Amino acid sequence: MKKIAICIVLGLVFLARSSMAAIGCTLSNPGQDLKALFPEMTDFKDETREFPKIDKGKELYDSLKDRLGGDLDSVYESYDTPYTVYKVFKGKELIGIVHGVNVPGKGGVIQVFLAMDPTSGEIKNFIFQRIDSPAAKALKSKEFRAQFNGLTLADFYKHDYYGAADPGSEKDKVAKIKEPDVGADGKPDYIASIRGVRKNLILLDMFFYEMKFEAYYTRAKEAIAKAKAGKSAEPPPEKK
């Protein structure tokens, strides 16, 4: 009986860990939330994206770590994590894309949602659905979030380029983002939030924009490699 009980307990632990390994991020009230982001919305459609079910999914997932610049979280960033892409319509016209991600923060999970222009890949709005942090008020402020409007994944990849090839460049838009006064206790959640925005943009490039910004990533990688070798690097391409 003891052996049976132990097996049952171990089985439950395994199932619990398995279920925790694929936690997605969805809007609590899609109809209301999307209407707030796009007041002209008349309809929306949600679609699930999963790396195991998309073309070259394993290859793209394996590249996510390098594109984010750090290790992936085993709970919120596993290979089988589901992602929900919301397509927002005005009549039959696609007017917006909304996508959210989970990132681990100091006080718990942080849920970062981006409202995007479906054509240009520019951020139209950046909101937190969930953040439990001493920095929550500062990070949720309109002044901080508005700094991201108009940015694309290209700007984040260019930030990598400038950091390696031309530190302090006036063209580095991401470097111009002003960090709010969050104090030492809130600093980890500020960093996690920036990572959440970048992760969101990378996933959308993979799931929706068909790797629209890949040239910027490639140029940044080349610049970093050349900088390490003491060589000069070509500037990133102009935004299309």
Side-chain angles (χ1 to χ4, degrees):
M1 289 294 291
K2 288 184 178 180
K3 289 183 178 181
I4 294 175
I6 291 173
C7 287
I8 292 173
V9 171
L10 290 176
L12 291 173
V13 170
F14 174 78
L15 288 173
R17 287 181 176 176
S18 297
S19 63
M20 288 182 66
I23 299 178
C25 185
T26 58
L27 289 169
S28 299
N29 190 333
Q32 179 177 313
D33 297 336
L34 294 172
K35 188 71 173 177
L37 291 168
F38 294 92
E40 66 272 41
M41 180 189 84
T42 58
D43 197 9
F44 74 91
K45 180 181 180 181
D46 59 89
E47 299 177 351
T48 301
R49 299 286 191 274
E50 299 176 65
F51 282 111
K53 297 180 181 180
I54 63 174
D55 186 40
K56 297 182 180 180
K58 187 62 168 64
E59 179 182 328
L60 290 172
Y61 176 76
D62 289 342
S63 74
L64 184 59
K65 177 179 177 180
D66 184 59
R67 292 166 191 270
L68 277 175
D71 291 333
L72 301 181
D73 183 81
S74 60
V75 175
Y76 300 113
E77 296 165 354
S78 66
Y79 178 55
D80 57 348
T81 296
Y83 298 93
T84 302
V85 177
Y86 297 93
K87 294 183 176 180
V88 182
F89 297 89
K90 178 182 179 182
K92 294 183 179 181
E93 179 188 3
L94 179 65
I95 61 171
I97 296 294
V98 177
H99 183 256
V101 297
N102 292 315
V103 286
K106 184 178 180 181
V109 65
I110 298 173
Q111 294 184 327
V112 174
F113 275 85
L114 297 181
M116 308 289 298
D117 183 293
T119 303
S120 68
E122 295 182 353
I123 297 174
K124 295 177 69 69
N125 206 334
F126 156 35
I127 63 171
F128 293 93
Q129 178 168 258
R130 176 179 175 181
I131 179 169
D132 184 10
S133 167
K137 183 177 180 179
L139 294 176
K140 291 170 71 175
S141 70
K142 183 177 180 180
E143 292 74 19
F144 172 67
R145 294 183 296 105
Q147 296 181 86
F148 295 82
N149 294 349
L151 296 182
T152 70
L153 180 57
D155 295 310
F156 281 82
Y157 285 153
K158 285 182 179 181
H159 177 63
D160 298 341
Y161 165 86
Y162 291 122
D166 189 11
S169 171
E170 281 297 311
K171 296 180 180 180
D172 189 352
K173 295 180 181 180
V174 173
K176 293 180 180 180
I177 295 173
K178 294 181 180 179
E179 178 182 343
D181 184 12
V182 296
D185 288 343
K187 182 75 172 183
D189 289 329
Y190 165 74
I191 295 173
S193 299
I194 298 295
R195 183 179 180 277
V197 173
R198 181 182 178 115
K199 172 185 168 183
N200 208 328
L201 291 171
I202 292 170
L203 290 173
L204 280 171
D205 200 32
M206 295 175 175
F207 295 154
F208 180 77
Y209 292 106
E210 299 181 344
M211 306 304 284
K212 175 184 178 74
F213 302 103
E214 191 64 4
Y216 301 95
Y217 171 71
T218 301
R219 192 63 57 83
K221 289 286 292 181
E222 291 173 351
I224 292 170
K226 287 183 178 181
K228 288 181 179 179
K231 300 179 181 179
S232 60
E234 294 294 324
E238 294 298 318
K239 182 184 291 188
K240 296 179 180 180

